[in-house]
Structure formats: structure tokens, C-alpha cells
Amino acid sequence: MGVLLSVFDREDAVVQVDLRSGSLTLNRTLTRELTAAVGDAADADQVALSDIREFVSVQGRFTARPESDGGCVLRARYGGGERPAHLRVPLSAAGLQIDTMYEGEFQARCLGKTTGWNPKRREVTLDAIAIFRQALRWGCRDMPSVVRGGIVAGRAVPRAPSGR
């Protein structure tokens, strides 16, 4: 896994996301896409997490729910307001190695790609290739200009005046 992360870093292939602070660090590809869409990536201070097609490294506070098939689903809340969004990370039993199933929230980092947005559930799904957390290890066996901004649920919207 260390070799893979070194390649991702060298190739600038990962967008860094912190769900708790709502911040992200764009890679060159996403910076180019935003520049083409709005003229200047610095003007695109909000990006919908579900719109990021690059690999993302997402840090947040997760909960784990066991599934009947032996896998589990990790969820992390992000955004504010009355209806915050969630990141959903389904993990298959085949790749899951659990020393302890956590209860409550725990800090973790997930590396993968977002695959969609469910507006009804206000949930982004992430297909993970790795989860980094002591006592929780998971990895797929078959793996097919810094700009600061914020992440939002669903579609990109302008940053609120409060600076959320």
C-alpha cells in the first residue's frame, strides 16, 4: 500500500478532503477542470464531493455498521445545517480484516473514488481501496497548485458569507 501511495503522491493523483473542517486540497487535474469551468480555480471555492472523479483521500469521524454478509458500512457526517450529508463507504467481507468492530465514532482516512450522490439520503458513496485506522484494515484485492476550498453536499454552491 505504501508503494501505491508514493505513486499517487508523485503523480499528484489524489484530492485531499477533511470532512470535519470541510476543506479540500485539489490536485492539478481537478484544478484544470475547475479553471476550464469557471475561468479560475480560485473562484470555485466550493466543490461537490460527488463531483470529484479523481482519487480522494477522505479524513473524518466514522461509524461502522456490520452487514449480514460479513462486510460493513462506514459512514461519516459532513456539512452543516439541519440536514447534513454523509459519506458512505461499503466494505466487502472479502477484504475486511477486523481486530475490533468499533462502537461509536472513530477517526479514519479512506482512499478511493466517489461513485455517486443519493439526494434522497443526502449520501455520497465512496468505493475504497484502503482504509487507514488502527485495528481496522481493509483493502481491495482487485484495484481496477494547491487550491483550498470547501466541500458541499450534492451540487457545488457558492461559499456562504459566514465562511463555513
Side-chain angles (χ1 to χ4, degrees):
M1 190 55 64
V3 172
L4 178 64
L5 291 175
S6 294
V7 170
F8 280 167
D9 284 342
R10 186 176 62 245
E11 298 299 320
D12 192 29
V14 178
V15 174
Q16 302 290 329
V17 178
D18 185 327
L19 296 178
R20 295 188 75 190
S21 70
S23 66
L24 67 138
T25 303
L26 307 179
N27 64 1
R28 287 185 301 266
T29 301
L30 193 52
T31 300
R32 275 193 307 274
E33 289 174 6
L34 291 173
T35 301
V38 297
D40 183 357
D43 292 338
D45 62 351
Q46 295 276 325
V47 175
L49 184 55
S50 59
D51 285 343
I52 300 173
R53 296 296 169 222
E54 304 297 309
F55 280 99
V56 291
S57 175
V58 180
Q59 181 177 324
R61 304 247 346 131
F62 290 85
T63 58
R65 185 186 76 229
E67 296 286 288
S68 60
D69 65 359
C72 75
V73 173
L74 303 183
R75 287 186 89 223
R77 177 181 168 150
Y78 71 95
E82 292 180 26
R83 295 189 61 218
H86 288 85
L87 177 69
R88 179 178 183 274
V89 185
L91 305 174
S92 69
L96 192 59
Q97 301 170 4
I98 299 178
D99 296 333
T100 302
M101 179 59 75
Y102 288 99
E103 292 184 21
E105 289 189 335
F106 57 92
Q107 186 72 28
R109 179 177 297 276
C110 301
L111 176 65
K113 284 198 170 195
T114 61
T115 58
W117 166 250
N118 181 329
K120 188 182 251 183
R121 296 185 64 176
R122 296 188 52 76
E123 190 173 76
V124 173
T125 300
L126 179 85
D127 281 343
I129 60 170
I131 309 293
F132 303 97
R133 171 67 182 148
Q134 183 180 8
L136 174 65
R137 294 182 307 280
W138 186 89
C140 284
R141 292 192 170 95
D142 301 317
M143 189 181 88
S145 86
V146 173
V147 176
R148 293 257 178 216
I151 54 172
V152 295
R155 305 282 56 138
V157 297
R159 182 179 292 280
S162 65
R164 179 193 76 76

